[in-house]
């Protein structure tokens, strides 16, 4: 049986206590954008190098999870 | 995926999803149209969904529109904007209107008349995507890529990198890189004044 390693905190932070470093968050945002573009390239290459059936079956999991049959 | 540039045809042996079937059912009712914007990238493999599909049609008379309206109603589609055909036609003269399956607003088709030259170019140079269960006509890829760069928000480089429209453009550019007419792409890049955004494709 899997045991969680996370234990519930005994105190709870207030919103006003949260320290926000905007410069640090900006770096995460830039990194995230770079990673998103890397995935675009990875997936485009996957589409080019696999059969239409293979890539579309995977894409359809995403689309059909959001769009129900008419 | 096979793209025959001379025939302006893409043979796509993909598994159809619910969005594809919805679009095929709708375009089957039309005499002439071209699909533009986000769904073009999605049809050609982009890993995202959309709640609407943008479609351009040649201008039609009021009578032609009413005939189409009745056909749509018989086939289970309704206009989201209004239930009155005259109102819908009057709206269509000014802006896009939306059609969806009755009682199911998502997904929907954003439907508008061809008015500007860039739309007319899309229609006259459309590409036929041949699927197992029918064909869908899409905008030429070069214009689609340039226009997606144009649609992306104004902002810093960092902000633009995760812009959905940049990602759509990049996906098409990467998948069809060897087949795209680079000269034509540059013509539209220049006309749409998005040369600075070209770097997001590389």
């Amino acid at each position: 049986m899997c045991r969680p390693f996370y234990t519930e905190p005994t105190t709870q932070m207030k919103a006003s206590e949260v320290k926000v470093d905007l410069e640090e968050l900006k770096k995460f945002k830039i990194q995230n954008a770079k990673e998103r573009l890397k995935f675009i390239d990875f997936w485009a290459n996957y589409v080019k190098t696999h059969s239409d059936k293979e890539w579309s079956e995977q894409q359809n999991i995403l689309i059909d999870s959001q769009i129900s049959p008419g | 995926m096979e793209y025959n540039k001379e025939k302006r045809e893409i043979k796509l042996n993909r598994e159809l999803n619910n969005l594809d079937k919805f679009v095929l059912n709708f375009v089957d009712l039309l005499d002439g149209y071209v699909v533009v914007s986000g769904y073009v990238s999605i049809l050609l493999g982009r890993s995202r969904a959309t709640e609407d599909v943008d479609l351009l049609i040649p201008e039609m008379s009021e009578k032609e529109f009413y005939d189409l309206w009745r056909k749509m109603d018989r086939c289970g589609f309704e206009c989201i904007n209004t239930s009155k055909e005259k109102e819908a036609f009057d709206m269509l003269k000014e802006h896009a209107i939306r059609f969806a399956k009755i009682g199911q607003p998502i997904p929907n088709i954003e439907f508008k008349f061809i008015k500007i030259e860039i739309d007319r170019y899309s229609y006259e140079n459309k590409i036929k995507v041949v699927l197992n269960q029918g064909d869908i006509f899409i905008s030429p890829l070069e214009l689609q890529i340039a226009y997606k760069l144009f649609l992306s928000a104004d902002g810093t480089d960092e902000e633009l990198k995760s812009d959905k429209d940049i990602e759509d453009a990049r996906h098409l550019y990467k998948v069809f890189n060897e087949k795209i007419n680079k000269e034509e792409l540059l013509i539209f890049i220049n006309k749409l004044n998005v040369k600075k955004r070209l770097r997001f494709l590389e």
Side-chain angles (χ1 to χ4, degrees):
Chain A
M1 186 174 129
C2 292
R3 288 176 188 279
F5 58 83
Y6 169 78
T7 49
E8 284 292 318
T10 50
T11 58
Q12 200 170 27
M13 266 183 100
K14 294 193 179 99
S16 54
E17 289 168 347
V18 175
K19 287 189 185 114
V20 174
D21 182 340
L22 285 174
E23 284 305 310
E24 188 184 40
L25 286 180
K26 197 176 166 183
K27 282 183 195 156
F28 290 149
K29 199 172 155 183
I30 292 169
Q31 187 57 35
N32 177 255
K34 279 187 190 153
E35 281 161 19
R36 286 188 66 87
L37 288 183
K38 272 192 194 147
F39 182 75
I40 296 284
D41 296 350
F42 171 84
W43 181 251
N45 187 57
Y46 189 95
V47 168
K48 282 168 80 166
T49 54
H50 291 71
S51 70
D52 292 345
K53 188 173 186 300
E54 264 181 285
W55 63 255
S56 61
E57 275 174 355
Q58 295 180 58
Q59 188 205 34
N60 291 354
I61 296 170
L62 166 65
I63 293 177
D64 288 343
S65 69
Q66 296 186 30
I67 311 265
S68 56
Chain B
M1 218 185 303
E2 292 164 35
Y3 179 24
N4 185 323
K5 279 202 292 188
E6 286 70 40
K7 280 175 81 178
R8 305 200 69 78
E9 196 174 277
I10 294 174
K11 280 204 175 108
L12 188 51
N13 190 26
R14 63 167 295 150
E15 294 293 316
L16 297 184
N17 54 51
N18 294 331
L19 185 59
D20 298 328
K21 291 169 192 168
F22 169 78
V23 173
L24 278 168
N25 284 340
F26 190 87
V27 300
D28 214 26
L29 305 174
L30 306 174
D31 291 329
Y33 69 90
V34 63
V35 173
V36 298
S37 213
Y39 179 68
V40 173
S41 305
I42 294 168
L43 179 63
L44 300 174
R46 171 87 157 94
S47 55
R48 72 173 180 90
T50 184
E51 73 270 11
D52 69 359
V53 175
D54 297 343
L55 200 144
L56 303 172
I57 54 161
E59 287 205 45
M60 55 175 68
S61 66
E62 206 161 328
K63 184 193 177 305
E64 283 168 333
F65 180 75
Y66 293 163
D67 288 343
L68 178 60
W69 179 275
R70 274 168 230 132
K71 199 162 45 160
M72 287 194 198
D73 181 57
R74 282 196 305 273
C75 294
F77 289 96
E78 65 179 354
C79 179
I80 293 176
N81 305 77
T82 174
S83 57
K84 299 184 174 62
E85 54 200 15
K86 171 88 173 76
E87 253 178 48
F89 185 71
D90 289 341
M91 283 182 194
L92 200 46
K93 287 189 272 184
E94 304 299 324
H95 56 74
I97 57 177
R98 291 176 189 261
F99 289 93
K101 288 297 255 179
I102 293 171
Q104 201 177 324
I106 286 172
N108 58 73
I109 302 275
E110 199 188 280
F111 185 89
K112 66 180 187 181
F113 284 148
I114 292 163
K115 283 201 158 76
I116 59 175
E117 287 205 359
I118 221 161
D119 289 348
R120 192 156 57 88
Y121 181 90
S122 274
Y123 181 71
E124 290 175 2
N125 294 279
K126 56 188 181 283
I127 294 173
K128 180 158 81 164
V129 179
V130 179
L131 303 162
N132 296 331
Q133 291 178 34
D135 307 328
I136 295 177
F137 288 96
I138 62 169
S139 162
L141 300 177
E142 295 79 5
L143 172 54
Q144 185 64 22
I145 291 166
Y147 199 69
K148 273 282 166 178
L149 292 180
F150 173 76
L151 285 178
S152 59
D154 292 327
T156 63
D157 274 12
E158 291 81 24
E159 284 160 354
L160 281 175
K161 271 181 189 154
S162 63
D163 185 286
K164 156 178 77 69
D165 292 310
I166 296 274
E167 292 173 357
D168 284 356
R170 191 180 176 108
H171 172 84
L172 287 178
Y173 185 78
K174 293 284 178 179
V175 173
F176 292 96
N177 195 353
E178 296 86 23
K179 299 268 184 148
I180 278 168
N181 182 329
K182 301 272 167 61
E183 226 177 87
E184 200 175 293
L185 174 63
L186 269 175
I187 288 173
F188 285 116
I189 294 279
N190 285 324
K191 283 184 188 288
L192 292 167
N193 198 23
V194 287
K195 211 167 175 181
K196 287 186 183 166
R197 295 183 182 180
L198 254 181
R199 64 179 177 275
F200 292 118
L201 299 182
E202 295 297 345

